[in-house]
Amino acid sequence: MLNIAVVGATGLVGKTMLEMLELKNIPYSSITLFSSARSAGKEVTYKGKTYVVEELTEEKTDGGYDYVLMSAGGDTSLRFAPLFEKAGAVVIDNSSAWRMDPTIDLVVPDVNKASLDRRIIANPNCSTIQSVVPLKPLADAFGLKRVAYTTYQSVSGSGWKGIEDLERGEHGEGPLNYPKPIYHNVIPQIDVFLDNGYTKEEDKMIRETQKILNDASIAVTATCVRVPVPHAHAVAINVTLEAEPTVQELKAVLADFPGIILMDDPSNGLYPTPLDAAGKEGVFVGRIRKDNSLKNTYHLWSVSDNILKGAALNAVQILEELLLRKEER
Ligand code: 2RA
């Protein structure tokens, strides 16, 4: 039986990690919940039992944990994940702090597996996860040359703060967290701008896609946009392949891939929207068609719950896969 810790247990992703651990019936002998000093002392229920959330300190990393799920921001991860690792735990970290570290695996279990060379495993960015799930079977079957993303990202991607700004707008109040009002608006800025004119979110999508698909030669570009939707991100993916399959062949390959729900019959009004995907586990794919402006090029539309497959569920699926591997040894 396992000693599990969740760091960031009162955040939107941390809270959902607990729900996923419970839903997936992950075996445990103890569960310890950590947060920042600000949220310490709050009570959280897990499997019907109430736990008091503790402030995480360096001494507490040596608590005999087997697995630590972290969703507490980059600075906390940089400081505490190596201490948990040193004390023998495997850390599954939802922040962006470790994702591009060449010694750290960046994992979407349907797509790639952790090498466990390091005992810190990074959970990718939400919009990247729901994009690489459909790209992986296309890469394997037809080869990938270029990907252009345009995202439509829900406010829950910013945690409670994003939901707060949307609700403030509904009540006629200005934003506290976003650079512009999100209510009745869309904002073509997620995270900060870099010197090259891209945002950090766009840069994450580009670099994480190449890392997860293990191919730096794939040309990737992105425009990331925040939309006034509470839950589930949508990504319009324009993809150029090495081969030129028919749309039917492409659909068949996508339909066969674990975790993909094909929802593509536009003549009957069937294509995924955030309302279809919110609260569900899979990656919904539709609007699949040939891009007639360019050879070997196709459009896809991917919709998924950013807090589930985009964060908490993917983290717990990484844990499930590690546990399965342990059983098989
Ligand atoms: C967002 N990708 O939607 C981020 C969350 N990690 O803001």
Side-chain angles (χ1 to χ4, degrees), residues 17-190:
M17 281 173 166
L18 287 168
E19 287 168 12
M20 292 299 108
L21 288 170
E22 186 162 349
L23 184 76
K24 302 295 176 188
N25 227 345
I26 301 295
Y28 69 105
S29 45
S30 76
I31 188 148
T32 309
L33 308 183
F34 290 114
S35 70
S36 60
R38 197 165 28 91
S39 299
K42 282 190 181 165
E43 292 188 343
V44 169
T45 305
Y46 183 71
K47 288 202 169 179
K49 197 173 154 200
T50 301
Y51 294 82
V52 177
V53 180
E54 301 173 33
E55 180 186 355
L56 180 59
T57 59
E58 292 188 359
E59 305 72 64
K60 289 184 185 167
T61 55
D62 198 7
Y65 303 112
D66 298 294
Y67 295 97
V68 179
L69 273 65
M70 297 190 79
S71 186
D75 291 344
T76 306
S77 287
L78 285 174
R79 181 170 164 208
F80 291 102
L83 299 177
F84 280 120
E85 180 186 37
K86 202 163 154 225
V90 174
V91 178
I92 301 169
D93 179 46
N94 191 54
S95 81
S96 61
W98 298 96
R99 289 179 188 154
M100 294 313 299
D101 181 322
T103 69
I104 301 286
D105 291 312
L106 183 62
V107 175
V108 181
D110 319 301
V111 174
N112 62 347
K113 300 278 176 272
S115 64
L116 282 178
D117 290 345
R118 288 279 308 267
R119 297 170 73 92
I120 300 173
I121 299 169
N123 205 37
N125 178 46
C126 41
S127 37
T128 311
I129 293 177
Q130 71 181 74
S131 301
V132 295
V133 168
L135 287 178
K136 171 66 176 166
L138 300 187
D140 289 348
F142 310 117
L144 277 193
K145 272 171 93 166
R146 178 179 187 264
V147 180
Y149 296 126
T150 307
T151 71
Y152 304 75
Q153 295 183 224
S154 69
V155 296
S156 57
S158 315
W160 298 121
K161 290 179 168 182
I163 293 173
E164 180 187 27
D165 264 16
L166 182 60
E167 287 177 356
R168 285 176 63 83
E170 284 163 5
H171 299 117
E173 295 162 339
L176 288 179
N177 303 298
Y178 290 131
K180 313 260 181 199
I182 186 64
Y183 185 68
H184 280 182
N185 208 6
V186 297
I187 307 175
Q189 177 188 353
I190 298 183

Side-chain angles (χ1 to χ4, degrees), residues 4 23 54 64 76 81 97 109 118 170 172 177 208 224 256 258 276 285 309 318:
I4 296 178
L23 184 76
E54 301 173 33
T76 306
R118 288 279 308 267
E170 284 163 5
N177 303 298
E208 291 182 21
C224 292
D256 267 358
D276 299 307
V285 183
K309 184 59 186 168
I318 293 173

